[in-house]
Amino acid sequence: MSATPIAPSADTKDGQSLSPAEGAARAGKVSAPANGWTRKDRPCDACRRRKSRCMISEGSEMCIMCQSRGEECTFVQSPLRRKRRRVEEDSDKSGRSPDTERAIQAKPPIDDYNTLPSSLLKATLGLQNRQHGHYLGQTTEYDVRLINLSPFNGRGEYVSTPGTLRRVSPKTHFIMKSESPSQVEEELANLDLVESIVAPHGKALVHLYFRIIHPSFPIMDKKVFLEKYERTYREFTPPILAAVYILALNWWSYTPELVNLPKPDARKLERLVPKFMSDVLNRPKLSTVQAGLLLLQRPDGDSWALTGQLVAVAQNLGMHLDCERWKIPEWERTLRKRLAWALYMQDVWGALIHGRPPLIDLDDWAVKPVEDRDFPETAEDDDEEEGSSEVETGRLTFVNMILLTEILHDILKTFFTLRAIAALEAEDENALMVTLEKAKPLQLRLKEWHARLPECLGVGQTKARKLSPTGSLHLAYFAAEVTLHRAIIRFTCEDEKLRSITRAAAKMRFTAAVELVNKFEPAHLQSFWYFASKVNLAIVGAFGSLLWVTSDSAEEAEVYRSKLAEYRWTLRVSSKAAEFMKFTVGMLDSSVVFLKEQRPKGGTALAAKAQQPRNEYNKPETQRNLARVPKIENEQQACEFSSPQTQYPSIEASRSVATSTEHTYTYDTDYSNASITLALDSRPQWIGFENFTEGDVQDWSLDQLYNFDQIPDPGDLLGSRGMVQEYDERGNNFAGF
């Protein structure tokens, strides 16, 4: 990539090179254009060596390239003598010669794709170059009946004072606005900067992206993207180009031509993208939403604030509308549907892991479900290169993730809105029965979703030398299951037999989730994972910790502690290949469950909790009552009730994660110096419960259903406990959005 030739006389004085101070002073005298950026009379030494465009902000003595690389910006060296080389030797990885690259940068940007003789982008609405559009809503000053009186041309456009009106259907209109010359100039400079960080490997990284990430996260149109990229990377916006490169860099070693080369520093791009995103949020394009979603998929890139901004941008683009009959290209209609549902998933799963209400209101959501025809790539488009993801498996993963997200959205709406919580708490002693009644259809939907999964999406259905994206899908299923049961355990039940059944079923839920993680192979661990996977693992761990803290006896508590130790070990080993798993490892390391490993010996009330059953179970009258309860096969009945989990049988740990041995140790429960107090258990005795059959549980009868014991005073019991590490945005790179 070469800078536009600059006359050498601008940086010399009587044939001598200028000093750095003189060069900076000379540069500071250049008048600034409207966008606030200035161009030096000559490039700095570093930009001259890199043959990149040298841009400097007004009032600064360093160019933006040197600032991003942390280098000294000098103007000492004389112009380098040019050497003519063969085009074949000077070609970069994109296959373009330096002369071609210079021609690309010198060519004026395309303002309207309709002027191209042949392009998929003709008549595009959301991806026009140097233009952006805003949807005109029903309550704005632009009334539909008045707009339709305008003399639209054959392309559905009418040039008006504020911008060009674009009609895509009789009731749907947009106003298109052109970007200013200063905005275009700054955007081109930022694109050059992005490309310079990864050059000359841009094309190889794009290929990596479409091999590994795109199959299971198809928020791009591959043919459209490649058409633009083949002309020039300057047809994109800086955020989308940087986002593609940032994600693809995670699989640098999966391309033979790159594995032995120095890897570009992704952190340099990550430091730039917040500014890039803020520049384009008010100039909405489909690429703005695409870039935001890609950046949010990074393990440490999740941001609830950015998610909210993307929802607003999508509404500006009319992505919440049904575009089936719009007058836009077919590929854009299908792209809008896939992109809208990807944003919906981001919203709902973000709401779960951040403990926030979803931002998208389904009353204002008219997007039709995705169909097979909405995915332009098929199995015939599979990349045969080793380490790629299969197109068909990725498509089915994406579709089923959407279906699971719809169920999760209903779980959150039914149990976790402020109004829903208040209504259930107002039921007093009937709260559990009402909760179970509401949970029944959701549990059945989860069961049906799992039963209908295609065989190729099974955890064990991996193929040789192919990556599998199904791990995050199955993990998300268990996160949804656990979320439903967390809603139920808020309320108590006085039937001991039911408690025994429900706790056995809960144990199987947690055990199945641990076994799922044990089954992950390298093909899963090295694949693309949805952003929520990091916290979904922690949600499973928190559920196990909750079962531990509500155990009825020391023996039961030790079972959960052992299983959590196995879970922690598996994640610790697997995190070598999937670093996002370290988050849950850290959470468990700081959990009170494993506090003994971090404290000297001693004794506290917590030790008493771990060493003896709950208080009421030690009472003679309670023991007599329990003796009258007939014994049942808890595990078997729970298994029949939780049939989806039976598809995860107990197996040995995958070779990729080794085998846990932590649970074979005997742990002493002595906590003398632990500054933790445990509230006395004042819950009522669990007795009685005659006329109960396992069929009642299987049929989701209203009075014999899932139930978990509730901690009497969560504030006193858990106030000083570190079972669940708080997850917020203070440590991520996008908290400032």
Side-chain angles (χ1 to χ4, degrees):
M1 187 168 48
S2 302
T4 305
I6 302 175
S9 60
D11 61 304
T12 60
K13 180 166 50 176
D14 298 330
Q16 301 295 323
S17 299
L18 292 177
S19 67
E22 291 173 323
R26 177 72 59 88
K29 295 178 181 179
V30 180
S31 59
N35 66 346
W37 294 90
T38 62
R39 176 83 182 258
K40 291 182 180 223
D41 291 337
R42 55 151 290 182
C44 70
D45 299 333
C47 289
R48 186 189 294 280
R49 287 193 302 271
R50 286 190 293 264
K51 296 184 178 180
S52 60
R53 190 176 187 184
C54 187
M55 298 289 295
I56 185 169
S57 59
E58 185 177 8
S60 174
E61 295 185 358
M62 294 182 66
C63 70
I64 59 176
M65 185 74 71
C66 290
Q67 290 179 18
S68 67
R69 293 175 175 264
E71 299 176 350
E72 185 179 4
C73 192
T74 61
F75 299 82
V76 179
Q77 299 176 359
S78 299
L80 299 175
R81 186 170 181 175
R82 297 181 180 273
K83 296 180 180 180
R84 299 187 64 85
R85 294 182 295 179
R86 293 172 54 192
V87 171
E88 297 85 0
E89 296 174 345
D90 208 29
S91 295
D92 60 18
K93 294 294 181 182
S94 68
R96 302 187 183 108
S97 69
D99 291 338
T100 303
E101 289 293 342
R102 282 191 289 271
I104 287 173
Q105 294 192 24
K107 184 174 15 175
I110 299 173
D111 293 326
D112 188 353
Y113 286 112
N114 289 300
T115 61
L116 295 178
S118 176
S119 174
L120 291 169
L121 289 150
K122 281 179 175 287
T124 180
L125 173 66
L127 284 177
Q128 274 288 355
N129 210 19
R130 316 310 171 204
Q131 294 184 61
H132 59 276
H134 288 263
Y135 166 64
L136 299 178
Q138 297 294 320
T139 58
T140 67
E141 68 274 23
Y142 296 94
D143 190 275
V144 172
R145 290 165 294 183
L146 297 177
I147 293 177
N148 283 330
L149 298 177
S150 304
F152 290 96
N153 60 23
R155 293 163 52 183
E157 295 178 346
Y158 169 68
V159 180
S160 63
T161 302
T164 301
L165 291 174
R166 173 86 180 267
R167 180 169 60 189
V168 295
S169 78
K171 295 183 178 181
T172 310
H173 301 80
F174 290 79
I175 184 165
M176 309 297 295
K177 296 184 178 181
S178 298
E179 292 159 14
S180 67
S182 62
Q183 290 173 332
V184 173
E185 182 182 352
E186 181 177 359
E187 188 168 273
L188 293 176
N190 290 335
L191 285 166
D192 292 342
L193 176 58
V194 169
E195 190 69 18
S196 69
I197 294 175
V198 302
H201 310 300
K203 188 172 184 179
L205 290 174
V206 169
H207 182 54
L208 263 177
Y209 172 85
F210 283 105
R211 277 178 50 205
I212 296 175
I213 302 165
H214 177 72
S216 57
F217 199 56
I219 63 171
M220 305 272 202
D221 188 287
K222 183 177 179 180
K223 292 182 178 179
V224 171
F225 188 96
L226 294 181
E227 176 195 315
K228 297 172 68 174
Y229 195 83
E230 285 301 317
R231 280 194 294 264
T232 171
Y233 63 81
R234 286 179 145 210
E235 285 192 27
F236 298 97
T237 58
I240 188 61
L241 190 66
V244 168
Y245 289 158
I246 288 172
L247 284 189
L249 282 169
N250 291 313
W251 287 270
W252 177 266
S253 61
Y254 276 69
T255 297
E257 66 185 85
L258 298 179
V259 64
N260 294 320
L261 298 176
K263 181 180 176 181
D265 190 353
R267 291 173 298 181
K268 294 180 179 179
L269 292 173
E270 290 176 338
R271 286 194 292 266
L272 295 171
V273 288
K275 170 64 166 58
F276 292 165
M277 284 297 298
S278 65
D279 288 343
V280 300
L281 286 174
N282 291 320
R283 308 199 301 263
K285 297 181 184 180
L286 296 181
S287 60
T288 308
V289 181
Q290 291 169 330
L293 288 176
L294 291 181
L295 293 171
L296 288 170
Q297 303 312 306
R298 299 175 303 122
D300 296 320
D302 179 46
S303 166
W304 185 241
L306 178 56
T307 301
Q309 288 180 312
L310 293 183
V311 172
V313 171
Q315 291 173 346
N316 282 340
L317 291 166
M319 285 176 53
H320 57 296
L321 306 175
D322 178 13
C323 63
E324 291 281 354
R325 300 184 181 276
W326 286 9
K327 191 177 179 181
I328 57 177
E330 175 64 22
W331 65 262
E332 186 171 351
R333 287 196 290 269
T334 61
L335 173 62
R336 278 176 167 268
K337 289 176 65 176
R338 299 194 308 273
L339 188 56
W341 283 111
L343 181 62
Y344 173 79
M345 290 193 293
Q346 185 73 37
D347 177 40
V348 175
W349 289 97
L352 171 70
I353 67 175
H354 289 287
R356 304 287 187 265
L359 299 167
I360 294 176
D361 187 347
L362 294 183
D363 287 340
D364 287 309
W365 184 260
V367 184
K368 295 294 180 62
V370 291
E371 305 173 26
D372 290 349
R373 62 187 179 89
D374 295 320
F375 297 84
E377 288 94 30
T378 64
E380 297 179 356
D381 299 303
D382 272 340
D383 196 306
E384 298 301 325
E385 189 170 348
E386 186 176 280
S388 301
S389 297
E390 292 184 297
V391 170
E392 185 64 12
T393 300
R395 180 185 70 83
L396 291 172
T397 299
F398 184 77
V399 170
N400 282 277
M401 191 68 177
I402 294 173
L403 298 175
L404 180 62
T405 304
E406 291 182 290
I407 301 175
L408 176 64
H409 188 278
D410 289 343
I411 292 174
L412 298 179
K413 181 180 179 181
T414 303
F415 296 110
F416 294 99
T417 66
L418 295 179
R419 185 170 296 178
I421 293 173
L424 288 171
E425 290 177 346
E427 294 290 342
D428 296 327
E429 65 274 6
N430 295 323
L432 177 61
M433 293 299 103
V434 174
T435 299
L436 294 174
E437 183 179 3
K438 292 178 179 294
K440 176 181 177 179
L442 294 168
Q443 176 63 41
L444 293 178
R445 287 173 62 189
L446 283 171
K447 178 180 179 181
E448 183 180 8
W449 176 91
H450 193 277
R452 290 186 175 183
L453 280 181
E455 183 179 356
C456 67
L457 295 186
V459 178
Q461 299 297 317
T462 57
K463 293 187 178 180
R465 298 181 297 279
K466 289 288 186 180
L467 296 179
S468 174
T470 60
S472 60
L473 178 67
H474 289 273
L475 177 61
Y477 164 73
F478 278 104
E481 284 273 10
V482 167
T483 301
L484 178 60
H485 298 310
R486 287 173 70 180
I488 298 174
I489 65 176
R490 292 181 296 192
F491 306 103
T492 58
C493 176
E494 298 186 5
D495 294 305
E496 179 57 33
K497 194 171 182 180
L498 177 59
R499 173 182 169 81
S500 178
I501 291 290
T502 55
R503 286 193 64 83
K507 177 183 177 182
M508 293 199 66
R509 283 284 196 277
F510 174 61
T511 301
V514 174
E515 290 175 351
L516 169 70
V517 178
N518 285 339
K519 294 170 69 175
F520 289 153
E521 302 174 9
H524 299 111
L525 298 176
Q526 287 287 290
S527 186
F528 170 72
W529 288 74
Y530 289 131
F531 80 103
S533 300
K534 172 180 172 179
V535 183
N536 283 346
L537 288 169
I539 288 174
V540 172
F543 187 59
S545 299
L546 182 60
L547 294 176
W548 170 82
V549 81
T550 57
S551 297
D552 295 333
S553 65
E555 291 76 15
E556 184 184 5
E558 183 59 28
V559 169
Y560 287 119
R561 189 180 191 281
S562 175
K563 186 59 67 175
L564 283 167
E566 177 187 348
Y567 185 57
R568 180 179 63 165
W569 169 255
T570 302
L571 293 177
R572 194 187 305 279
V573 177
S574 300
S575 66
K576 302 300 180 182
E579 291 193 359
F580 67 89
M581 293 183 172
K582 292 180 180 178
F583 175 79
T584 303
V585 175
M587 183 202 79
L588 291 174
D589 283 343
S590 62
S591 169
V592 70
V593 181
F594 301 107
L595 187 63
K596 173 63 176 66
E597 299 174 1
Q598 307 169 28
R599 295 181 179 273
K601 290 186 177 181
T604 64
L606 181 60
K609 165 68 179 178
Q611 292 172 357
Q612 65 182 17
R614 298 182 306 159
N615 295 339
E616 70 270 22
Y617 283 91
N618 292 329
K619 297 178 181 178
E621 62 271 24
T622 303
Q623 296 296 328
R624 289 193 298 270
N625 288 331
L626 290 178
R628 296 196 298 267
V629 179
K631 293 184 178 180
I632 58 175
E633 297 296 330
N634 295 333
E635 301 258 350
Q636 179 180 355
Q637 292 180 6
C639 181
E640 291 174 356
F641 178 72
S642 326
S643 58
Q645 277 64 42
T646 62
Q647 302 187 30
Y648 294 104
S650 298
I651 62 168
E652 294 183 0
S654 167
R655 288 191 297 271
S656 66
V657 296
T659 303
S660 170
T661 56
E662 292 195 37
H663 66 283
T664 62
Y665 300 153
T666 301
Y667 296 94
D668 183 18
T669 53
D670 202 358
Y671 298 84
S672 63
N673 295 327
S675 58
I676 297 177
T677 59
L678 186 67
L680 292 178
D681 194 339
S682 58
R683 289 167 292 187
Q685 301 174 11
W686 304 85
I687 59 176
F689 195 60
E690 289 81 9
N691 302 323
F692 175 80
T693 66
E694 61 184 76
D696 292 325
V697 171
Q698 201 168 15
D699 295 336
W700 281 82
S701 153
L702 292 185
D703 57 348
Q704 292 126 355
L705 282 176
Y706 242 43
N707 173 61
F708 294 86
D709 192 13
Q710 184 185 30
I711 301 170
D713 188 348
D716 294 338
L717 180 61
L718 302 177
S720 59
R721 292 184 157 209
M723 285 197 308
V724 183
Q725 179 174 325
E726 181 183 3
Y727 181 77
D728 59 24
E729 299 181 43
R730 289 174 293 181
N732 70 59
N733 295 330
F734 285 93
F737 274 118

